Amino acid sequence: MTANAGRRIVVLTGAGISKESGLSTFRDADGIWAKVRIEDVATPDAFARDPEGVHRFYNARRRRLVGGAIQPNAAHVALARLEGAWPAGVTVVTQNIDDLHERAGSRNLIHMHGEILKARCSACGVVVACTDALGTDERCRECGIKGAMRPHVVWFGEMPLELERIDAALDACATFVSIGTSGNVYPAAGFVDRIRSRDNVHAVELNLEPSEGAGHFDETVYGPATEVVPAFVARLLGARG
Ligand code: APR
């Protein structure tokens, strides 16, 4: 790890990092996809078929996120601290649609699956802040079309956001750290293989349990994110110079 100190770091995060803040993961036994079917709430077809149902699903999650009970945890805070203390640069690429990384202080952050606190007009494409419930009677402030506002999130079958920026960050990093993701969803699940095609890149998995891609990492540490992430960041910062 010391050999890489001073070089760029890319951190990929998934639902596991927000679990101890009180947000559910997707594929754990008590996860969201054990209670709701993907095809009912997280596809363009679902929105076309049952927009009210899809809005209800995201409205409930948005309401929880802004309600005050959900706060960044020690893992989010540790990553923000790393960004502030690592001159070569840290990019956090998150699959999460919550805003806990930015609330903790991360600034160089890419929301590849979108943001639940934004809405997008599927007619004109405008993206606006959204902290309230969305409904089918909503009119776009930009183009005036009614019923086209949708959560600014990436559904199954849609292209993740900012892939060019992510590719550039992956191509420039010396250390890749994957945190709290099960490695089931591409393209994020393929990032580790992408960076391993280059020499001298160190890939680390920090997760509660081995992910689907665990065997592709150089180093793995298993435990709750609020414990393993601060410890890993302290080790990185301690190894500097
Ligand atoms: N600390 C660390 N890791 C944890 C914790 C915790 N406290 N709790 C759970 N985990 C781990 C689980 O062991 C699992 O490997 O987090 C991972 C969560 O995996 P998923 O639920 O599959 O979430 P994620 O990988 O982020 O899902 C990717 O799938 O449906 C979509 O769009 C959604 O962005 C999401 C994508």
Side-chain angles (χ1 to χ4, degrees):
M1 190 156 42
T2 21
N4 287 332
R7 301 181 57 202
R8 294 193 64 86
I9 298 172
V10 171
V11 181
L12 170 70
T13 65
I17 197 170
S18 296
K19 170 78 176 178
E20 291 161 86
S21 292
L23 296 176
S24 297
T25 57
F26 293 93
R27 292 173 186 79
D28 290 314
D30 59 349
I32 293 174
W33 299 146
K35 297 171 188 144
V36 192
R37 289 177 355 136
I38 288 174
E39 13 348 313
D40 289 340
V41 294
T43 66
D45 274 359
F47 190 59
R49 209 173 46 243
D50 178 19
E52 290 293 2
V54 172
H55 280 315
R56 253 195 318 279
F57 173 70
Y58 287 99
N59 286 344
R61 293 174 66 193
R62 188 180 304 108
R63 200 165 46 240
R64 270 206 83 218
L65 188 60
V66 299
I70 306 296
Q71 297 295 332
N73 65 46
H76 299 104
V77 170
L79 292 181
R81 174 172 169 243
L82 178 64
E83 184 180 329
W86 195 260
V90 175
T91 304
V92 176
V93 179
T94 188
Q95 297 168 90
N96 299 342
I97 59 175
D98 65 54
D99 65 342
L100 297 181
H101 281 303
E102 43 273 62
R103 278 203 246 159
S106 287
R107 291 294 167 257
N108 193 15
L109 173 67
I110 300 175
H111 275 282
M112 65 180 295
H113 290 170
E115 296 167 74
I116 197 170
L117 298 183
K118 292 184 179 167
R120 182 169 85 242
C121 175
S122 32
C124 75
V126 71
V127 176
V128 296
C130 174
T131 49
D132 295 326
L134 277 177
T136 48
D137 52 0
E138 196 91 13
R139 212 173 265 288
C140 174
R141 283 182 237 157
E142 190 75 14
C143 69
I145 291 181
K146 189 171 150 182
M149 295 307 290
R150 55 166 281 181
H152 183 49
V153 301
V154 175
W155 287 324
F156 286 88
E158 294 183 323
M159 190 67 97
L161 308 176
E162 303 207 59
L163 289 180
E164 277 183 22
R165 215 177 129 204
I166 294 170
D167 282 350
L170 290 171
D171 285 347
C173 80
T175 303
F176 173 73
V177 189
S178 175
I179 303 173
T181 177
S182 64
N184 276 285
V185 175
Y186 285 80
F191 290 171
V192 62
D193 288 329
R194 188 194 158 102
I195 62 110
R196 282 179 65 96
S197 63
R198 291 193 290 119
D199 291 336
N200 300 320
V201 184
H202 188 70
V204 184
E205 168 162 282
L206 307 178
N207 206 39
L208 195 57
E209 59 195 9
S211 73
E212 290 293 319
H216 301 215
F217 290 85
D218 302 300
E219 182 185 347
T220 53
V221 184
Y222 297 116
T226 57
E227 292 174 20
V228 296
V229 178
F232 181 78
V233 166
R235 190 148 61 89
L236 265 184
L237 293 178
R240 257 181 321 184

